[in-house]
PDB file of all heavy atoms in Angstrom:
ATOM      1  N   LEU P   1       0.877 -12.088  19.439  1.00  0.00           N
ATOM      2  CA  LEU P   1       1.853 -11.129  19.960  1.00  0.00           C
ATOM      3  C   LEU P   1       1.570  -9.713  19.479  1.00  0.00           C
ATOM      4  O   LEU P   1       1.281  -9.488  18.304  1.00  0.00           O
ATOM      5  CB  LEU P   1       3.268 -11.532  19.544  1.00  0.00           C
ATOM      6  CG  LEU P   1       3.727 -12.917  19.998  1.00  0.00           C
ATOM      7  CD1 LEU P   1       5.132 -13.203  19.490  1.00  0.00           C
ATOM      8  CD2 LEU P   1       3.667 -13.037  21.510  1.00  0.00           C
ATOM      9  N   ILE P   2       1.677  -8.776  20.402  1.00  0.00           N
ATOM     10  CA  ILE P   2       1.557  -7.352  20.103  1.00  0.00           C
ATOM     11  C   ILE P   2       2.834  -6.690  20.590  1.00  0.00           C
ATOM     12  O   ILE P   2       3.186  -6.798  21.764  1.00  0.00           O
ATOM     13  CB  ILE P   2       0.347  -6.721  20.817  1.00  0.00           C
ATOM     14  CG1 ILE P   2      -0.948  -7.380  20.350  1.00  0.00           C
ATOM     15  CG2 ILE P   2       0.312  -5.215  20.582  1.00  0.00           C
ATOM     16  CD1 ILE P   2      -2.159  -6.963  21.156  1.00  0.00           C
ATOM     17  N   ASP P   3       3.539  -6.004  19.699  1.00  0.00           N
ATOM     18  CA  ASP P   3       4.766  -5.300  20.061  1.00  0.00           C
ATOM     19  C   ASP P   3       4.433  -3.819  20.198  1.00  0.00           C
ATOM     20  O   ASP P   3       4.283  -3.110  19.207  1.00  0.00           O
ATOM     21  CB  ASP P   3       5.840  -5.530  18.994  1.00  0.00           C
ATOM     22  CG  ASP P   3       7.183  -4.947  19.367  1.00  0.00           C
ATOM     23  OD1 ASP P   3       7.228  -3.987  20.173  1.00  0.00           O
ATOM     24  OD2 ASP P   3       8.205  -5.427  18.845  1.00  0.00           O
ATOM     25  N   ALA P   4       4.295  -3.354  21.435  1.00  0.00           N
ATOM     26  CA  ALA P   4       3.915  -1.963  21.670  1.00  0.00           C
ATOM     27  C   ALA P   4       5.001  -1.002  21.203  1.00  0.00           C
ATOM     28  O   ALA P   4       4.701   0.150  20.866  1.00  0.00           O
ATOM     29  CB  ALA P   4       3.591  -1.740  23.150  1.00  0.00           C
ATOM     30  N   ASP P   5       6.262  -1.451  21.159  1.00  0.00           N
ATOM     31  CA  ASP P   5       7.324  -0.588  20.628  1.00  0.00           C
ATOM     32  C   ASP P   5       7.062  -0.291  19.150  1.00  0.00           C
ATOM     33  O   ASP P   5       7.225   0.842  18.700  1.00  0.00           O
ATOM     34  CB  ASP P   5       8.698  -1.238  20.805  1.00  0.00           C
ATOM     35  CG  ASP P   5       9.106  -1.372  22.268  1.00  0.00           C
ATOM     36  OD1 ASP P   5       8.630  -0.561  23.095  1.00  0.00           O
ATOM     37  OD2 ASP P   5       9.892  -2.270  22.585  1.00  0.00           O
ATOM     38  N   LYS P   6       6.617  -1.302  18.406  1.00  0.00           N
ATOM     39  CA  LYS P   6       6.288  -1.079  16.992  1.00  0.00           C
ATOM     40  C   LYS P   6       5.082  -0.167  16.854  1.00  0.00           C
ATOM     41  O   LYS P   6       5.034   0.686  15.968  1.00  0.00           O
ATOM     42  CB  LYS P   6       6.035  -2.408  16.289  1.00  0.00           C
ATOM     43  CG  LYS P   6       7.292  -3.206  16.052  1.00  0.00           C
ATOM     44  CD  LYS P   6       7.007  -4.486  15.305  1.00  0.00           C
ATOM     45  CE  LYS P   6       8.303  -5.277  15.140  1.00  0.00           C
ATOM     46  NZ  LYS P   6       8.053  -6.592  14.559  1.00  0.00           N
ATOM     47  N   LEU P   7       4.109  -0.325  17.732  1.00  0.00           N
ATOM     48  CA  LEU P   7       2.957   0.574  17.711  1.00  0.00           C
ATOM     49  C   LEU P   7       3.406   2.000  18.004  1.00  0.00           C
ATOM     50  O   LEU P   7       2.919   2.958  17.390  1.00  0.00           O
ATOM     51  CB  LEU P   7       1.900   0.140  18.734  1.00  0.00           C
ATOM     52  CG  LEU P   7       1.242  -1.224  18.538  1.00  0.00           C
ATOM     53  CD1 LEU P   7       0.232  -1.484  19.647  1.00  0.00           C
ATOM     54  CD2 LEU P   7       0.601  -1.333  17.172  1.00  0.00           C
ATOM     55  N   GLY P   8       4.359   2.130  18.923  1.00  0.00           N
ATOM     56  CA  GLY P   8       4.895   3.444  19.257  1.00  0.00           C
ATOM     57  C   GLY P   8       5.532   4.123  18.064  1.00  0.00           C
ATOM     58  O   GLY P   8       5.398   5.333  17.875  1.00  0.00           O
ATOM     59  N   HIS P   9       6.211   3.353  17.239  1.00  0.00           N
ATOM     60  CA  HIS P   9       6.797   3.928  16.031  1.00  0.00           C
ATOM     61  C   HIS P   9       5.703   4.256  15.014  1.00  0.00           C
ATOM     62  O   HIS P   9       5.788   5.260  14.302  1.00  0.00           O
ATOM     63  CB  HIS P   9       7.834   2.972  15.428  1.00  0.00           C
ATOM     64  CG  HIS P   9       9.095   2.907  16.227  1.00  0.00           C
ATOM     65  ND1 HIS P   9      10.089   3.848  16.116  1.00  0.00           N
ATOM     66  CD2 HIS P   9       9.516   2.028  17.163  1.00  0.00           C
ATOM     67  CE1 HIS P   9      11.073   3.551  16.949  1.00  0.00           C
ATOM     68  NE2 HIS P   9      10.750   2.448  17.593  1.00  0.00           N
ATOM     69  N   ALA P  10       4.674   3.414  14.949  1.00  0.00           N
ATOM     70  CA  ALA P  10       3.613   3.600  13.957  1.00  0.00           C
ATOM     71  C   ALA P  10       2.808   4.879  14.196  1.00  0.00           C
ATOM     72  O   ALA P  10       2.315   5.479  13.240  1.00  0.00           O
ATOM     73  CB  ALA P  10       2.681   2.388  13.949  1.00  0.00           C
ATOM     74  N   VAL P  11       2.685   5.313  15.454  1.00  0.00           N
ATOM     75  CA  VAL P  11       1.887   6.517  15.704  1.00  0.00           C
ATOM     76  C   VAL P  11       2.552   7.771  15.161  1.00  0.00           C
ATOM     77  O   VAL P  11       1.885   8.775  14.930  1.00  0.00           O
ATOM     78  CB  VAL P  11       1.533   6.713  17.205  1.00  0.00           C
ATOM     79  CG1 VAL P  11       0.717   5.567  17.737  1.00  0.00           C
ATOM     80  CG2 VAL P  11       2.747   6.977  18.043  1.00  0.00           C
ATOM     81  N   TYR P  12       3.881   7.713  14.926  1.00  0.00           N
ATOM     82  CA  TYR P  12       4.628   8.883  14.472  1.00  0.00           C
ATOM     83  C   TYR P  12       4.710   9.016  12.949  1.00  0.00           C
ATOM     84  O   TYR P  12       5.100  10.059  12.457  1.00  0.00           O
ATOM     85  CB  TYR P  12       6.078   8.816  14.983  1.00  0.00           C
ATOM     86  CG  TYR P  12       6.228   9.080  16.453  1.00  0.00           C
ATOM     87  CD1 TYR P  12       6.371   8.038  17.361  1.00  0.00           C
ATOM     88  CD2 TYR P  12       6.270  10.383  16.945  1.00  0.00           C
ATOM     89  CE1 TYR P  12       6.537   8.277  18.708  1.00  0.00           C
ATOM     90  CE2 TYR P  12       6.431  10.629  18.293  1.00  0.00           C
ATOM     91  CZ  TYR P  12       6.573   9.575  19.170  1.00  0.00           C
ATOM     92  OH  TYR P  12       6.731   9.829  20.494  1.00  0.00           O
ATOM     93  N   VAL P  13       4.381   7.971  12.205  1.00  0.00           N
ATOM     94  CA  VAL P  13       4.548   8.034  10.749  1.00  0.00           C
ATOM     95  C   VAL P  13       3.544   9.013  10.155  1.00  0.00           C
ATOM     96  O   VAL P  13       2.462   9.213  10.720  1.00  0.00           O
ATOM     97  CB  VAL P  13       4.406   6.644  10.074  1.00  0.00           C
ATOM     98  CG1 VAL P  13       5.459   5.673  10.581  1.00  0.00           C
ATOM     99  CG2 VAL P  13       3.017   6.080  10.248  1.00  0.00           C
ATOM    100  N   PRO P  14       3.897   9.642   9.014  1.00  0.00           N
ATOM    101  CA  PRO P  14       2.931  10.545   8.377  1.00  0.00           C
ATOM    102  C   PRO P  14       1.609   9.811   8.144  1.00  0.00           C
ATOM    103  O   PRO P  14       1.582   8.692   7.649  1.00  0.00           O
ATOM    104  CB  PRO P  14       3.618  10.903   7.050  1.00  0.00           C
ATOM    105  CG  PRO P  14       5.083  10.785   7.361  1.00  0.00           C
ATOM    106  CD  PRO P  14       5.176   9.605   8.310  1.00  0.00           C
ATOM    107  N   GLY P  15       0.534  10.437   8.561  1.00  0.00           N
ATOM    108  CA  GLY P  15      -0.777   9.814   8.475  1.00  0.00           C
ATOM    109  C   GLY P  15      -1.110   8.979   9.693  1.00  0.00           C
ATOM    110  O   GLY P  15      -2.240   8.527   9.853  1.00  0.00           O
ATOM    111  N   GLY P  16      -0.128   8.743  10.566  1.00  0.00           N
ATOM    112  CA  GLY P  16      -0.356   7.984  11.797  1.00  0.00           C
ATOM    113  C   GLY P  16      -1.206   8.795  12.761  1.00  0.00           C
ATOM    114  O   GLY P  16      -1.342  10.020  12.636  1.00  0.00           O
ATOM    115  N   PRO P  17      -1.777   8.133  13.756  1.00  0.00           N
ATOM    116  CA  PRO P  17      -2.749   8.803  14.623  1.00  0.00           C
ATOM    117  C   PRO P  17      -2.207   9.949  15.477  1.00  0.00           C
ATOM    118  O   PRO P  17      -2.974  10.799  15.916  1.00  0.00           O
ATOM    119  CB  PRO P  17      -3.294   7.673  15.498  1.00  0.00           C
ATOM    120  CG  PRO P  17      -2.306   6.581  15.406  1.00  0.00           C
ATOM    121  CD  PRO P  17      -1.621   6.722  14.081  1.00  0.00           C
ATOM    122  N   ALA P  18      -0.892  10.014  15.719  1.00  0.00           N
ATOM    123  CA  ALA P  18      -0.348  11.095  16.548  1.00  0.00           C
ATOM    124  C   ALA P  18       0.465  12.102  15.730  1.00  0.00           C
ATOM    125  O   ALA P  18       0.850  13.146  16.255  1.00  0.00           O
ATOM    126  CB  ALA P  18       0.516  10.520  17.664  1.00  0.00           C
ATOM    127  N   TYR P  19       0.695  11.808  14.476  1.00  0.00           N
ATOM    128  CA  TYR P  19       1.603  12.614  13.642  1.00  0.00           C
ATOM    129  C   TYR P  19       1.237  14.099  13.637  1.00  0.00           C
ATOM    130  O   TYR P  19       2.059  14.955  13.979  1.00  0.00           O
ATOM    131  CB  TYR P  19       1.615  12.050  12.219  1.00  0.00           C
ATOM    132  CG  TYR P  19       2.495  12.826  11.264  1.00  0.00           C
ATOM    133  CD1 TYR P  19       3.857  12.577  11.189  1.00  0.00           C
ATOM    134  CD2 TYR P  19       1.953  13.802  10.441  1.00  0.00           C
ATOM    135  CE1 TYR P  19       4.658  13.278  10.306  1.00  0.00           C
ATOM    136  CE2 TYR P  19       2.753  14.515   9.564  1.00  0.00           C
ATOM    137  CZ  TYR P  19       4.103  14.249   9.489  1.00  0.00           C
ATOM    138  OH  TYR P  19       4.901  14.951   8.624  1.00  0.00           O
ATOM    139  N   GLU P  20       0.020  14.415  13.250  1.00  0.00           N
ATOM    140  CA  GLU P  20      -0.383  15.824  13.106  1.00  0.00           C
ATOM    141  C   GLU P  20      -0.279  16.575  14.429  1.00  0.00           C
ATOM    142  O   GLU P  20       0.225  17.703  14.470  1.00  0.00           O
ATOM    143  CB  GLU P  20      -1.817  15.925  12.556  1.00  0.00           C
ATOM    144  CG  GLU P  20      -1.985  15.411  11.142  1.00  0.00           C
ATOM    145  CD  GLU P  20      -1.241  16.242  10.097  1.00  0.00           C
ATOM    146  OE1 GLU P  20      -0.997  17.446  10.342  1.00  0.00           O
ATOM    147  OE2 GLU P  20      -0.894  15.665   9.052  1.00  0.00           O
ATOM    148  N   ARG P  21      -0.742  15.957  15.512  1.00  0.00           N
ATOM    149  CA  ARG P  21      -0.697  16.633  16.821  1.00  0.00           C
ATOM    150  C   ARG P  21       0.731  16.830  17.305  1.00  0.00           C
ATOM    151  O   ARG P  21       1.054  17.869  17.892  1.00  0.00           O
ATOM    152  CB  ARG P  21      -1.507  15.852  17.860  1.00  0.00           C
ATOM    153  CG  ARG P  21      -3.003  16.035  17.669  1.00  0.00           C
ATOM    154  CD  ARG P  21      -3.815  15.418  18.782  1.00  0.00           C
ATOM    155  NE  ARG P  21      -3.499  15.977  20.089  1.00  0.00           N
ATOM    156  CZ  ARG P  21      -3.705  15.336  21.236  1.00  0.00           C
ATOM    157  NH1 ARG P  21      -4.246  14.128  21.226  1.00  0.00           N
ATOM    158  NH2 ARG P  21      -3.402  15.892  22.379  1.00  0.00           N
ATOM    159  N   VAL P  22       1.611  15.848  17.040  1.00  0.00           N
ATOM    160  CA  VAL P  22       3.015  15.981  17.460  1.00  0.00           C
ATOM    161  C   VAL P  22       3.670  17.118  16.689  1.00  0.00           C
ATOM    162  O   VAL P  22       4.358  17.976  17.269  1.00  0.00           O
ATOM    163  CB  VAL P  22       3.778  14.654  17.275  1.00  0.00           C
ATOM    164  CG1 VAL P  22       5.282  14.853  17.480  1.00  0.00           C
ATOM    165  CG2 VAL P  22       3.258  13.596  18.250  1.00  0.00           C
ATOM    166  N   VAL P  23       3.455  17.168  15.379  1.00  0.00           N
ATOM    167  CA  VAL P  23       4.038  18.242  14.571  1.00  0.00           C
ATOM    168  C   VAL P  23       3.466  19.593  14.984  1.00  0.00           C
ATOM    169  O   VAL P  23       4.204  20.574  15.130  1.00  0.00           O
ATOM    170  CB  VAL P  23       3.826  17.977  13.059  1.00  0.00           C
ATOM    171  CG1 VAL P  23       4.291  19.164  12.225  1.00  0.00           C
ATOM    172  CG2 VAL P  23       4.560  16.706  12.630  1.00  0.00           C
ATOM    173  N   ALA P  24       2.159  19.671  15.215  1.00  0.00           N
ATOM    174  CA  ALA P  24       1.534  20.931  15.627  1.00  0.00           C
ATOM    175  C   ALA P  24       2.075  21.391  16.977  1.00  0.00           C
ATOM    176  O   ALA P  24       2.268  22.594  17.207  1.00  0.00           O
ATOM    177  CB  ALA P  24       0.018  20.769  15.687  1.00  0.00           C
ATOM    178  N   THR P  25       2.341  20.459  17.867  1.00  0.00           N
ATOM    179  CA  THR P  25       2.802  20.809  19.212  1.00  0.00           C
ATOM    180  C   THR P  25       4.276  21.179  19.245  1.00  0.00           C
ATOM    181  O   THR P  25       4.672  22.110  19.948  1.00  0.00           O
ATOM    182  CB  THR P  25       2.535  19.634  20.189  1.00  0.00           C
ATOM    183  OG1 THR P  25       1.145  19.327  20.171  1.00  0.00           O
ATOM    184  CG2 THR P  25       2.977  19.968  21.607  1.00  0.00           C
ATOM    185  N   PHE P  26       5.107  20.457  18.466  1.00  0.00           N
ATOM    186  CA  PHE P  26       6.559  20.643  18.577  1.00  0.00           C
ATOM    187  C   PHE P  26       7.190  21.349  17.382  1.00  0.00           C
ATOM    188  O   PHE P  26       8.382  21.607  17.388  1.00  0.00           O
ATOM    189  CB  PHE P  26       7.223  19.289  18.852  1.00  0.00           C
ATOM    190  CG  PHE P  26       6.804  18.721  20.174  1.00  0.00           C
ATOM    191  CD1 PHE P  26       5.814  17.758  20.242  1.00  0.00           C
ATOM    192  CD2 PHE P  26       7.350  19.187  21.355  1.00  0.00           C
ATOM    193  CE1 PHE P  26       5.386  17.259  21.468  1.00  0.00           C
ATOM    194  CE2 PHE P  26       6.939  18.700  22.581  1.00  0.00           C
ATOM    195  CZ  PHE P  26       5.951  17.730  22.637  1.00  0.00           C
ATOM    196  N   GLY P  27       6.406  21.660  16.374  1.00  0.00           N
ATOM    197  CA  GLY P  27       6.894  22.466  15.266  1.00  0.00           C
ATOM    198  C   GLY P  27       7.465  21.664  14.109  1.00  0.00           C
ATOM    199  O   GLY P  27       7.896  20.523  14.261  1.00  0.00           O
ATOM    200  N   ALA P  28       7.475  22.306  12.943  1.00  0.00           N
ATOM    201  CA  ALA P  28       7.943  21.661  11.716  1.00  0.00           C
ATOM    202  C   ALA P  28       9.439  21.369  11.754  1.00  0.00           C
ATOM    203  O   ALA P  28       9.930  20.557  10.952  1.00  0.00           O
ATOM    204  CB  ALA P  28       7.603  22.533  10.505  1.00  0.00           C
ATOM    205  N   GLU P  29      10.179  21.983  12.666  1.00  0.00           N
ATOM    206  CA  GLU P  29      11.626  21.722  12.739  1.00  0.00           C
ATOM    207  C   GLU P  29      11.948  20.290  13.195  1.00  0.00           C
ATOM    208  O   GLU P  29      13.089  19.853  13.099  1.00  0.00           O
ATOM    209  CB  GLU P  29      12.344  22.746  13.624  1.00  0.00           C
ATOM    210  CG  GLU P  29      11.961  22.719  15.089  1.00  0.00           C
ATOM    211  CD  GLU P  29      10.794  23.654  15.429  1.00  0.00           C
ATOM    212  OE1 GLU P  29      10.086  24.126  14.533  1.00  0.00           O
ATOM    213  OE2 GLU P  29      10.602  23.891  16.628  1.00  0.00           O
ATOM    214  N   ILE P  30      10.942  19.544  13.650  1.00  0.00           N
ATOM    215  CA  ILE P  30      11.185  18.146  14.028  1.00  0.00           C
ATOM    216  C   ILE P  30      11.076  17.210  12.830  1.00  0.00           C
ATOM    217  O   ILE P  30      11.303  16.015  12.959  1.00  0.00           O
ATOM    218  CB  ILE P  30      10.212  17.667  15.142  1.00  0.00           C
ATOM    219  CG1 ILE P  30       8.778  17.622  14.642  1.00  0.00           C
ATOM    220  CG2 ILE P  30      10.378  18.503  16.400  1.00  0.00           C
ATOM    221  CD1 ILE P  30       7.816  16.911  15.574  1.00  0.00           C
ATOM    222  N   LEU P  31      10.754  17.764  11.652  1.00  0.00           N
ATOM    223  CA  LEU P  31      10.544  16.932  10.468  1.00  0.00           C
ATOM    224  C   LEU P  31      11.820  16.777   9.649  1.00  0.00           C
ATOM    225  O   LEU P  31      12.603  17.721   9.505  1.00  0.00           O
ATOM    226  CB  LEU P  31       9.448  17.532   9.575  1.00  0.00           C
ATOM    227  CG  LEU P  31       8.052  17.608  10.188  1.00  0.00           C
ATOM    228  CD1 LEU P  31       7.099  18.301   9.222  1.00  0.00           C
ATOM    229  CD2 LEU P  31       7.545  16.222  10.553  1.00  0.00           C
ATOM    230  N   ASN P  32      11.986  15.578   9.103  1.00  0.00           N
ATOM    231  CA  ASN P  32      13.024  15.342   8.106  1.00  0.00           C
ATOM    232  C   ASN P  32      12.535  15.916   6.781  1.00  0.00           C
ATOM    233  O   ASN P  32      11.363  16.269   6.638  1.00  0.00           O
ATOM    234  CB  ASN P  32      13.276  13.829   7.953  1.00  0.00           C
ATOM    235  CG  ASN P  32      13.908  13.230   9.182  1.00  0.00           C
ATOM    236  OD1 ASN P  32      14.870  13.761   9.728  1.00  0.00           O
ATOM    237  ND2 ASN P  32      13.352  12.105   9.628  1.00  0.00           N
ATOM    238  N   GLU P  33      13.419  15.950   5.787  1.00  0.00           N
ATOM    239  CA  GLU P  33      13.035  16.480   4.473  1.00  0.00           C
ATOM    240  C   GLU P  33      11.884  15.704   3.848  1.00  0.00           C
ATOM    241  O   GLU P  33      11.076  16.261   3.120  1.00  0.00           O
ATOM    242  CB  GLU P  33      14.245  16.479   3.531  1.00  0.00           C
ATOM    243  CG  GLU P  33      15.253  17.566   3.863  1.00  0.00           C
ATOM    244  CD  GLU P  33      16.401  17.604   2.878  1.00  0.00           C
ATOM    245  OE1 GLU P  33      16.242  17.111   1.741  1.00  0.00           O
ATOM    246  OE2 GLU P  33      17.451  18.146   3.263  1.00  0.00           O
ATOM    247  N   ASP P  34      11.815  14.393   4.150  1.00  0.00           N
ATOM    248  CA  ASP P  34      10.750  13.574   3.557  1.00  0.00           C
ATOM    249  C   ASP P  34       9.429  13.654   4.322  1.00  0.00           C
ATOM    250  O   ASP P  34       8.473  12.964   4.002  1.00  0.00           O
ATOM    251  CB  ASP P  34      11.203  12.119   3.424  1.00  0.00           C
ATOM    252  CG  ASP P  34      11.474  11.453   4.774  1.00  0.00           C
ATOM    253  OD1 ASP P  34      11.333  12.115   5.834  1.00  0.00           O
ATOM    254  OD2 ASP P  34      11.829  10.259   4.773  1.00  0.00           O
ATOM    255  N   GLY P  35       9.365  14.497   5.352  1.00  0.00           N
ATOM    256  CA  GLY P  35       8.133  14.683   6.108  1.00  0.00           C
ATOM    257  C   GLY P  35       7.992  13.766   7.308  1.00  0.00           C
ATOM    258  O   GLY P  35       7.036  13.899   8.074  1.00  0.00           O
TER     259      GLY P  35
END
């Protein structure tokens, strides 16, 4: 079993494959205090 919803959450975590590009595109204001 592969849960693509879980993969979707995993791409957003710090160090995840989409994290840096999402933050660069949408700005640091989308971050919580813990990053």
